[in-house]
Amino acid sequence: MKTLLQFCPSFTPVVKLPVHDRKGVIGKVKRWSNVKLKAVNNEKDGVLLGAEKDESGSIVGFQYLSKSPAAADDAKVSSSHDIISNNEEEVIVDGDLAESTPTKVTYNIVFVTSEAAPYSKTGGLGDVCGSLPIALAARGHRVMVVTPRYLSGGPSDKKFASAVDLDCRIKVSCSGGVQDVAFFHEYRAGVDWVFVDHPSFHRPGNPYGDAYGAFGDNQFRFTLLCHAACEAPLVLPLGGFTYGEKCLFLANDWHAGLVPVLLAAKYRPYGVYKDARSIVVIHNLAHQGVEPASTYSNFGLPPEWYGALGWVFPTWARTHALDTGEAVNILKGAIVTADRILTVSQGYSWEITTPEGGNGLDELLTSRKTVVNGITNGIDINEWNPSLDEHIPSHYSLDDLTGKIECKIALQRELGLPVRPDVPLIGFIGRLDYQKGIDIILSGAQDLLQDDVQFVMLGSGEKQYEDWMRATEATFKDKYRGWVGFNVPISHRITAGCDILLMPSRFEPCGLNQLYAMRYGTIPVVHGTGGLGDTVKTFNPFADEGKGEGTGWAFKPLTRESMLDALWIAIETYRKHKPSWAGLMKRGMERDYSWDNAAVKYEEVFKWAFIDPPYVS
Ligand SMILES: Nc1ncnc2c1ncn2[C@@H]1O[C@H](COP(=O)(O)OP(=O)(O)O[C@H]2O[C@H](CO)[C@@H](O)[C@H](O)[C@H]2O)[C@@H](O)[C@H]1O
């Protein structure tokens, strides 16, 4: 089917929206009329009017009212928001514009995620889901992000202040009851940010827990998120139009893992979402959403779908002789039902198919390896930009690095360390847990701190590591600072002020801090695993006719000795080989970290997802 984008100057812009009301879902959706699509980038150019729908009712294009012939000409070029289509076929521009102009395929994309910066963030998932949607929207896709409206009663609640209640309530049947769920919405940076509202998302702490540990009802809370995310494209008239059934769900990590299962088990049997596709994006396979098998009935899924989520712990992982190891595993359910599987680097996409990196799911992932791909994350180059960063005291760039020294001095002063611009300053930022190799840092820190260096750590997590940081600070007053907590401005100042960033992660699906570091002229010393191995190239001073190559050091194996060896080589290079150090900084700062490269690769995977029929239909 061809989609027509009509340029009709006399068209009266009245848009009637469908009200979605199906069994199991009560939609209370406003009718909006005379709606100008917010997606129109520049109103002086024209207004998007009525929607073109395919036979399933999904919107595949919009009518466009141009205000000037020049604007109509511009439209031929198909700027990011002038043409919106979730149709995979060629879009034809007709009317006065004479020849047809093929344009790229665009999709209606629905991110489902437990975190999206700046609204919520405890780690890299928040960064990715806060920036990749914007990059995809800028490339012409219609993008919605569905994430909880967390209210903790603290200052962070202000982040949701611009989101308005859409006055659309749905009822979700799960956990033996019926839950009322509301939607809030903010349109920002070309993206529809949709916040799922329910009392279980309103409590002190971070998205997953508080000082007493993980919340006991996380399975329930993220089950709600997934049900709501499946309804959102059907019931929410965002910018005047629902996204419709022909959309692409990107289910991020286990929290969103029920989405592909729901599509297969709850919607497709009733003819809904036949043309939708789903991709599970694995940011961290170590967290799978595993609960006792008896909780299956909480998901609101038909009983016959138990097999999709059913999972049996290996014998060695069972707690006692009578433990049958039976459990439900949400991420497993996503892996067996999603149309495709993505990870956040190529290295990690291979590692998860091995017994060492598969966290018990390696055989399952191997069985689906024809649809497994890895795409290295990009970063938000506006938020992480040393020449504009609002959190750092002095700005700098490759052309003028004096600001970096000023950042170093300011950091030493802020942390109460001796102000010594020449001493190697090493940093670590991250969650204090097994994944990040904190135990390796602990085992090597005493030796490292014998040297004339300074070492700064920012992180929160396991109490034993937090306590160690406090104790080490007391022992090495002039050399070590441990900042226990989660603090984004400080993380920027450490990234800018340090010379070296240490990341001895045991495994690392992608890793973002090494990318931020390189952009800030801070040299990463990393364990060469997963995305760290893919993104940090070890320095070779003899390459390129003696000019050198590489952006840091990626050491292997993960031992105290190899970490210290890599650190000492880095420290010696910093002290004695200034031109080499300058080359390392330059190569790191020059690299393209923007999401554009990754977004093109994502589009390729989207295309493949729609070429195949739904994996479970
Ligand atoms: N105490 C603190 N204060 C302030 N900021 C802090 C902080 N601790 C961590 N951060 C920030 O949180 C983010 C962490 O990102 P990472 O990619 O390193 O790890 P994470 O393991 O959370 O993400 C998972 O998902 C991402 C995204 O796909 C993958 O890159 C990664 O490998 C995978 O483990 C960075 O922006 C970092 O600055």
Short mmCIF file of all heavy atoms in Angstrom, two decimals, residues 2-53:
data_model
loop_
_atom_site.label_atom_id
_atom_site.label_comp_id
_atom_site.label_asym_id
_atom_site.label_seq_id
_atom_site.Cartn_x
_atom_site.Cartn_y
_atom_site.Cartn_z
N LYS A 2 0.51 2.21 -0.81
CA LYS A 2 1.25 3.46 -0.84
C LYS A 2 0.60 4.45 0.12
O LYS A 2 -0.61 4.50 0.24
CB LYS A 2 1.23 4.07 -2.25
CG LYS A 2 1.78 3.14 -3.31
CD LYS A 2 3.28 3.12 -3.26
CE LYS A 2 3.81 2.21 -4.35
NZ LYS A 2 5.16 1.76 -4.07
N THR A 3 1.39 5.23 0.75
CA THR A 3 0.85 6.26 1.63
C THR A 3 0.90 7.60 0.92
O THR A 3 1.90 7.94 0.31
CB THR A 3 1.71 6.37 2.89
OG1 THR A 3 1.72 5.11 3.52
CG2 THR A 3 1.16 7.38 3.84
N LEU A 4 -0.19 8.36 0.99
CA LEU A 4 -0.19 9.67 0.35
C LEU A 4 -0.06 10.74 1.40
O LEU A 4 -0.79 10.76 2.38
CB LEU A 4 -1.49 9.87 -0.42
CG LEU A 4 -1.68 8.98 -1.63
CD1 LEU A 4 -2.97 9.36 -2.33
CD2 LEU A 4 -0.52 9.14 -2.59
N LEU A 5 0.85 11.61 1.21
CA LEU A 5 0.92 12.80 2.06
C LEU A 5 0.37 13.93 1.20
O LEU A 5 0.98 14.32 0.23
CB LEU A 5 2.36 13.07 2.46
CG LEU A 5 2.91 12.05 3.43
CD1 LEU A 5 4.40 12.19 3.54
CD2 LEU A 5 2.27 12.23 4.77
N GLN A 6 -0.79 14.40 1.54
CA GLN A 6 -1.45 15.36 0.65
C GLN A 6 -1.15 16.79 1.06
O GLN A 6 -1.22 17.14 2.22
CB GLN A 6 -2.96 15.13 0.69
CG GLN A 6 -3.30 13.77 0.10
CD GLN A 6 -4.74 13.44 0.29
OE1 GLN A 6 -5.33 13.78 1.30
NE2 GLN A 6 -5.31 12.81 -0.70
N PHE A 7 -0.87 17.58 0.10
CA PHE A 7 -0.67 19.01 0.33
C PHE A 7 -1.91 19.71 -0.18
O PHE A 7 -2.10 19.87 -1.37
CB PHE A 7 0.58 19.50 -0.42
CG PHE A 7 1.82 18.93 0.17
CD1 PHE A 7 2.22 17.65 -0.13
CD2 PHE A 7 2.55 19.66 1.08
CE1 PHE A 7 3.34 17.11 0.43
CE2 PHE A 7 3.69 19.13 1.64
CZ PHE A 7 4.09 17.85 1.32
N CYS A 8 -2.84 20.07 0.70
CA CYS A 8 -4.13 20.60 0.23
C CYS A 8 -4.44 21.89 0.99
O CYS A 8 -4.92 21.85 2.11
CB CYS A 8 -5.22 19.57 0.42
SG CYS A 8 -5.09 18.68 1.95
N PRO A 9 -4.18 23.05 0.38
CA PRO A 9 -4.30 24.33 1.05
C PRO A 9 -5.68 24.61 1.63
O PRO A 9 -5.80 25.33 2.60
CB PRO A 9 -3.96 25.34 -0.05
CG PRO A 9 -3.28 24.56 -1.11
CD PRO A 9 -3.73 23.16 -0.99
N SER A 10 -6.72 24.01 1.08
CA SER A 10 -8.05 24.36 1.57
C SER A 10 -8.57 23.38 2.61
O SER A 10 -9.70 23.46 3.04
CB SER A 10 -9.02 24.41 0.38
OG SER A 10 -9.02 23.13 -0.22
N PHE A 11 -7.77 22.50 3.02
CA PHE A 11 -8.21 21.47 3.95
C PHE A 11 -8.56 22.07 5.32
O PHE A 11 -7.85 22.90 5.85
CB PHE A 11 -7.08 20.44 4.13
CG PHE A 11 -7.50 19.20 4.84
CD1 PHE A 11 -8.04 18.14 4.14
CD2 PHE A 11 -7.37 19.12 6.21
CE1 PHE A 11 -8.42 17.00 4.81
CE2 PHE A 11 -7.75 17.97 6.88
CZ PHE A 11 -8.28 16.90 6.17
N THR A 12 -9.72 21.67 5.87
CA THR A 12 -10.09 22.17 7.20
C THR A 12 -9.54 21.22 8.25
O THR A 12 -9.88 20.04 8.25
CB THR A 12 -11.63 22.22 7.34
OG1 THR A 12 -12.12 22.89 6.21
CG2 THR A 12 -12.03 22.93 8.61
N PRO A 13 -8.71 21.73 9.11
CA PRO A 13 -8.01 20.81 10.02
C PRO A 13 -8.85 20.35 11.20
O PRO A 13 -8.77 20.86 12.30
CB PRO A 13 -6.82 21.63 10.48
CG PRO A 13 -7.28 23.04 10.40
CD PRO A 13 -8.28 23.11 9.30
N VAL A 14 -9.70 19.39 10.98
CA VAL A 14 -10.45 18.81 12.09
C VAL A 14 -10.07 17.34 12.19
O VAL A 14 -10.20 16.60 11.23
CB VAL A 14 -11.96 18.93 11.85
CG1 VAL A 14 -12.72 18.25 12.99
CG2 VAL A 14 -12.35 20.39 11.76
N VAL A 15 -9.59 16.96 13.35
CA VAL A 15 -9.12 15.59 13.51
C VAL A 15 -10.00 14.88 14.51
O VAL A 15 -10.21 15.37 15.61
CB VAL A 15 -7.66 15.58 14.03
CG1 VAL A 15 -7.18 14.16 14.21
CG2 VAL A 15 -6.78 16.36 13.07
N LYS A 16 -10.54 13.75 14.12
CA LYS A 16 -11.32 12.96 15.09
C LYS A 16 -10.49 11.76 15.50
O LYS A 16 -9.96 11.06 14.66
CB LYS A 16 -12.63 12.52 14.46
CG LYS A 16 -13.61 13.65 14.35
CD LYS A 16 -15.02 13.16 14.21
CE LYS A 16 -15.97 14.33 14.22
NZ LYS A 16 -17.29 13.98 13.76
N LEU A 17 -10.41 11.54 16.79
CA LEU A 17 -9.57 10.45 17.26
C LEU A 17 -10.40 9.25 17.63
O LEU A 17 -11.51 9.38 18.11
CB LEU A 17 -8.80 10.91 18.48
CG LEU A 17 -7.89 12.06 18.17
CD1 LEU A 17 -7.29 12.60 19.43
CD2 LEU A 17 -6.82 11.59 17.22
N PRO A 18 -9.83 8.09 17.41
CA PRO A 18 -10.56 6.89 17.79
C PRO A 18 -10.59 6.73 19.30
O PRO A 18 -9.64 7.09 19.98
CB PRO A 18 -9.72 5.76 17.16
CG PRO A 18 -8.36 6.33 17.05
CD PRO A 18 -8.52 7.80 16.86
N VAL A 19 -11.70 6.24 19.81
CA VAL A 19 -11.75 5.89 21.23
C VAL A 19 -11.59 4.39 21.31
O VAL A 19 -12.33 3.65 20.70
CB VAL A 19 -13.07 6.32 21.86
CG1 VAL A 19 -13.15 5.83 23.29
CG2 VAL A 19 -13.21 7.82 21.80
N HIS A 20 -10.60 3.97 22.03
CA HIS A 20 -10.31 2.55 22.10
C HIS A 20 -11.02 1.96 23.30
O HIS A 20 -10.86 2.42 24.40
CB HIS A 20 -8.80 2.37 22.25
CG HIS A 20 -8.38 0.98 22.03
ND1 HIS A 20 -8.23 0.45 20.78
CD2 HIS A 20 -8.14 -0.01 22.90
CE1 HIS A 20 -7.89 -0.81 20.90
NE2 HIS A 20 -7.83 -1.11 22.17
N ASP A 21 -11.84 0.97 23.09
CA ASP A 21 -12.58 0.39 24.20
C ASP A 21 -12.77 -1.09 23.90
O ASP A 21 -13.61 -1.47 23.13
CB ASP A 21 -13.93 1.09 24.33
CG ASP A 21 -14.53 0.80 25.68
OD1 ASP A 21 -14.05 -0.14 26.36
OD2 ASP A 21 -15.46 1.49 26.06
N ARG A 22 -11.92 -1.89 24.49
CA ARG A 22 -11.98 -3.31 24.21
C ARG A 22 -12.15 -4.09 25.49
O ARG A 22 -11.96 -3.57 26.58
CB ARG A 22 -10.69 -3.76 23.51
CG ARG A 22 -10.54 -3.23 22.13
CD ARG A 22 -9.21 -3.60 21.56
NE ARG A 22 -8.11 -3.06 22.38
CZ ARG A 22 -7.41 -3.79 23.23
NH1 ARG A 22 -7.66 -5.04 23.39
NH2 ARG A 22 -6.45 -3.24 23.93
N LYS A 23 -12.45 -5.36 25.31
CA LYS A 23 -12.62 -6.21 26.48
C LYS A 23 -11.36 -6.15 27.36
O LYS A 23 -10.25 -6.29 26.87
CB LYS A 23 -12.81 -7.65 25.98
CG LYS A 23 -13.39 -8.55 27.02
CD LYS A 23 -13.59 -9.92 26.43
CE LYS A 23 -13.88 -10.88 27.57
NZ LYS A 23 -13.54 -12.23 27.28
N GLY A 24 -11.55 -5.92 28.63
CA GLY A 24 -10.40 -5.91 29.54
C GLY A 24 -9.75 -4.55 29.67
O GLY A 24 -8.91 -4.34 30.50
N VAL A 25 -10.15 -3.62 28.84
CA VAL A 25 -9.53 -2.30 28.89
C VAL A 25 -10.62 -1.26 28.84
O VAL A 25 -11.48 -1.29 27.97
CB VAL A 25 -8.62 -2.08 27.67
CG1 VAL A 25 -8.00 -0.70 27.73
CG2 VAL A 25 -7.58 -3.16 27.58
N ILE A 26 -10.63 -0.38 29.78
CA ILE A 26 -11.61 0.69 29.71
C ILE A 26 -10.87 1.96 29.37
O ILE A 26 -10.09 2.48 30.16
CB ILE A 26 -12.35 0.85 31.05
CG1 ILE A 26 -13.09 -0.46 31.35
CG2 ILE A 26 -13.32 2.01 30.99
CD1 ILE A 26 -13.69 -0.52 32.72
N GLY A 27 -11.06 2.43 28.18
CA GLY A 27 -10.35 3.63 27.76
C GLY A 27 -11.24 4.84 27.92
O GLY A 27 -12.38 4.85 27.46
N LYS A 28 -10.76 5.87 28.61
CA LYS A 28 -11.49 7.12 28.74
C LYS A 28 -10.62 8.16 28.07
O LYS A 28 -9.74 8.76 28.67
CB LYS A 28 -11.67 7.44 30.22
CG LYS A 28 -12.82 8.38 30.50
CD LYS A 28 -13.00 8.58 31.99
CE LYS A 28 -12.32 9.84 32.43
NZ LYS A 28 -12.27 10.07 33.85
N VAL A 29 -10.83 8.31 26.77
CA VAL A 29 -9.92 9.12 25.99
C VAL A 29 -10.65 10.35 25.48
O VAL A 29 -11.74 10.25 24.95
CB VAL A 29 -9.39 8.31 24.79
CG1 VAL A 29 -8.38 9.13 24.02
CG2 VAL A 29 -8.77 7.02 25.27
N LYS A 30 -10.04 11.50 25.66
CA LYS A 30 -10.64 12.75 25.18
C LYS A 30 -10.70 12.77 23.67
O LYS A 30 -9.81 12.26 23.01
CB LYS A 30 -9.75 13.92 25.59
CG LYS A 30 -9.99 14.45 26.96
CD LYS A 30 -9.07 15.63 27.13
CE LYS A 30 -9.13 16.16 28.54
NZ LYS A 30 -8.05 17.09 28.79
N ARG A 31 -11.74 13.38 23.12
CA ARG A 31 -11.71 13.67 21.70
C ARG A 31 -11.10 15.06 21.54
O ARG A 31 -11.53 16.00 22.18
CB ARG A 31 -13.13 13.69 21.12
CG ARG A 31 -13.67 12.31 20.88
CD ARG A 31 -15.08 12.40 20.35
NE ARG A 31 -15.64 11.07 20.31
CZ ARG A 31 -15.47 10.24 19.28
NH1 ARG A 31 -14.78 10.62 18.24
NH2 ARG A 31 -16.00 9.05 19.30
N TRP A 32 -10.11 15.14 20.72
CA TRP A 32 -9.46 16.42 20.49
C TRP A 32 -9.79 16.83 19.07
O TRP A 32 -9.79 16.01 18.16
CB TRP A 32 -7.94 16.31 20.61
CG TRP A 32 -7.46 16.00 21.97
CD1 TRP A 32 -8.22 15.74 23.07
CD2 TRP A 32 -6.10 15.87 22.37
NE1 TRP A 32 -7.41 15.47 24.13
CE2 TRP A 32 -6.11 15.54 23.74
CE3 TRP A 32 -4.88 16.02 21.72
CZ2 TRP A 32 -4.96 15.35 24.46
CZ3 TRP A 32 -3.73 15.83 22.43
CH2 TRP A 32 -3.78 15.50 23.79
N SER A 33 -10.05 18.09 18.87
CA SER A 33 -10.28 18.55 17.50
C SER A 33 -9.37 19.73 17.23
O SER A 33 -8.81 20.34 18.14
CB SER A 33 -11.73 18.95 17.30
OG SER A 33 -12.05 20.00 18.17
N ASN A 34 -9.24 20.05 15.99
CA ASN A 34 -8.35 21.14 15.56
C ASN A 34 -6.97 21.00 16.17
O ASN A 34 -6.38 21.96 16.64
CB ASN A 34 -8.94 22.51 15.94
CG ASN A 34 -10.25 22.75 15.23
OD1 ASN A 34 -10.39 22.37 14.07
ND2 ASN A 34 -11.19 23.34 15.92
N VAL A 35 -6.50 19.82 16.17
CA VAL A 35 -5.21 19.57 16.81
C VAL A 35 -4.09 19.76 15.81
O VAL A 35 -4.12 19.21 14.73
CB VAL A 35 -5.14 18.12 17.33
CG1 VAL A 35 -3.80 17.89 18.02
CG2 VAL A 35 -6.27 17.88 18.29
N LYS A 36 -3.12 20.55 16.18
CA LYS A 36 -1.92 20.63 15.36
C LYS A 36 -0.95 19.60 15.92
O LYS A 36 -0.73 19.56 17.11
CB LYS A 36 -1.27 22.00 15.49
CG LYS A 36 -1.99 23.08 14.74
CD LYS A 36 -1.23 24.37 14.94
CE LYS A 36 -2.00 25.52 14.39
NZ LYS A 36 -1.35 26.79 14.68
N LEU A 37 -0.43 18.82 15.05
CA LEU A 37 0.52 17.81 15.54
C LEU A 37 1.74 18.48 16.14
O LEU A 37 2.39 19.28 15.50
CB LEU A 37 0.98 16.93 14.39
CG LEU A 37 0.44 15.53 14.38
CD1 LEU A 37 1.24 14.69 13.42
CD2 LEU A 37 0.44 14.90 15.75
N LYS A 38 2.05 18.14 17.34
CA LYS A 38 3.23 18.72 17.96
C LYS A 38 4.50 18.33 17.21
O LYS A 38 5.52 18.96 17.34
CB LYS A 38 3.34 18.24 19.40
CG LYS A 38 2.32 18.86 20.31
CD LYS A 38 2.49 18.30 21.68
CE LYS A 38 1.45 18.86 22.63
NZ LYS A 38 1.57 18.28 23.94
N ALA A 39 4.40 17.23 16.47
CA ALA A 39 5.60 16.75 15.79
C ALA A 39 6.06 17.69 14.69
O ALA A 39 7.16 17.56 14.19
CB ALA A 39 5.34 15.38 15.20
N VAL A 40 5.24 18.67 14.33
CA VAL A 40 5.69 19.60 13.30
C VAL A 40 6.79 20.45 13.91
O VAL A 40 6.60 21.14 14.90
CB VAL A 40 4.54 20.49 12.82
CG1 VAL A 40 5.06 21.54 11.87
CG2 VAL A 40 3.48 19.65 12.17
N ASN A 41 7.93 20.34 13.33
CA ASN A 41 9.10 20.99 13.90
C ASN A 41 8.98 22.50 13.89
O ASN A 41 9.27 23.18 14.84
CB ASN A 41 10.31 20.59 13.05
CG ASN A 41 11.36 19.93 13.88
OD1 ASN A 41 11.18 19.83 15.09
ND2 ASN A 41 12.41 19.47 13.26
N ASN A 42 8.53 23.03 12.78
CA ASN A 42 8.58 24.45 12.58
C ASN A 42 7.23 24.89 12.05
O ASN A 42 6.90 24.66 10.89
CB ASN A 42 9.70 24.74 11.58
CG ASN A 42 9.93 26.22 11.44
OD1 ASN A 42 9.10 27.01 11.89
ND2 ASN A 42 11.03 26.57 10.82
N GLU A 43 6.44 25.50 12.90
CA GLU A 43 5.06 25.77 12.52
C GLU A 43 4.93 26.70 11.34
O GLU A 43 3.93 26.67 10.64
CB GLU A 43 4.30 26.32 13.72
CG GLU A 43 4.05 25.24 14.75
CD GLU A 43 2.86 25.55 15.62
OE1 GLU A 43 2.34 26.68 15.49
OE2 GLU A 43 2.45 24.68 16.39
N LYS A 44 5.94 27.54 11.10
CA LYS A 44 5.80 28.45 9.98
C LYS A 44 5.78 27.68 8.65
O LYS A 44 5.29 28.15 7.66
CB LYS A 44 6.88 29.53 10.00
CG LYS A 44 8.24 29.08 9.52
CD LYS A 44 9.17 30.27 9.52
CE LYS A 44 10.62 29.88 9.37
NZ LYS A 44 10.95 28.81 8.49
N ASP A 45 6.31 26.48 8.68
CA ASP A 45 6.33 25.69 7.45
C ASP A 45 5.00 25.05 7.12
O ASP A 45 4.70 24.77 5.98
CB ASP A 45 7.37 24.57 7.56
CG ASP A 45 8.78 25.13 7.56
OD1 ASP A 45 8.93 26.30 7.20
OD2 ASP A 45 9.68 24.38 7.95
N GLY A 46 4.19 24.75 8.10
CA GLY A 46 2.93 24.11 7.81
C GLY A 46 2.38 23.37 9.00
O GLY A 46 2.94 23.42 10.08
N VAL A 47 1.26 22.71 8.77
CA VAL A 47 0.58 22.03 9.85
C VAL A 47 0.23 20.63 9.39
O VAL A 47 -0.22 20.42 8.26
CB VAL A 47 -0.72 22.79 10.21
CG1 VAL A 47 -1.48 22.04 11.30
CG2 VAL A 47 -0.42 24.20 10.64
N LEU A 48 0.44 19.66 10.25
CA LEU A 48 0.03 18.30 9.92
C LEU A 48 -1.45 18.15 10.24
O LEU A 48 -1.90 18.54 11.32
CB LEU A 48 0.84 17.29 10.72
CG LEU A 48 2.28 17.10 10.28
CD1 LEU A 48 2.98 16.16 11.23
CD2 LEU A 48 2.35 16.56 8.87
N LEU A 49 -2.19 17.55 9.30
CA LEU A 49 -3.64 17.46 9.50
C LEU A 49 -4.06 16.02 9.73
O LEU A 49 -3.54 15.35 10.59
CB LEU A 49 -4.33 18.08 8.27
CG LEU A 49 -3.91 19.53 8.00
CD1 LEU A 49 -4.52 19.99 6.71
CD2 LEU A 49 -4.32 20.43 9.13
N GLY A 50 -5.01 15.55 8.93
CA GLY A 50 -5.60 14.24 9.18
C GLY A 50 -4.62 13.10 9.02
O GLY A 50 -3.57 13.23 8.40
N ALA A 51 -5.02 11.99 9.57
CA ALA A 51 -4.16 10.81 9.53
C ALA A 51 -4.56 9.88 8.40
O ALA A 51 -5.73 9.74 8.09
CB ALA A 51 -4.26 10.07 10.85
N GLU A 52 -3.59 9.25 7.80
CA GLU A 52 -3.83 8.17 6.84
C GLU A 52 -3.72 6.87 7.61
O GLU A 52 -2.74 6.64 8.32
CB GLU A 52 -2.75 8.18 5.75
CG GLU A 52 -2.74 9.39 4.86
CD GLU A 52 -3.78 9.29 3.76
OE1 GLU A 52 -4.26 8.17 3.51
OE2 GLU A 52 -4.11 10.33 3.18
N LYS A 53 -4.74 6.01 7.47
CA LYS A 53 -4.68 4.75 8.22
C LYS A 53 -4.66 3.56 7.28
O LYS A 53 -5.20 3.63 6.18
CB LYS A 53 -5.91 4.63 9.12
CG LYS A 53 -5.93 5.69 10.19
CD LYS A 53 -7.10 5.47 11.10
CE LYS A 53 -7.10 6.54 12.18
NZ LYS A 53 -8.20 6.38 13.10
#
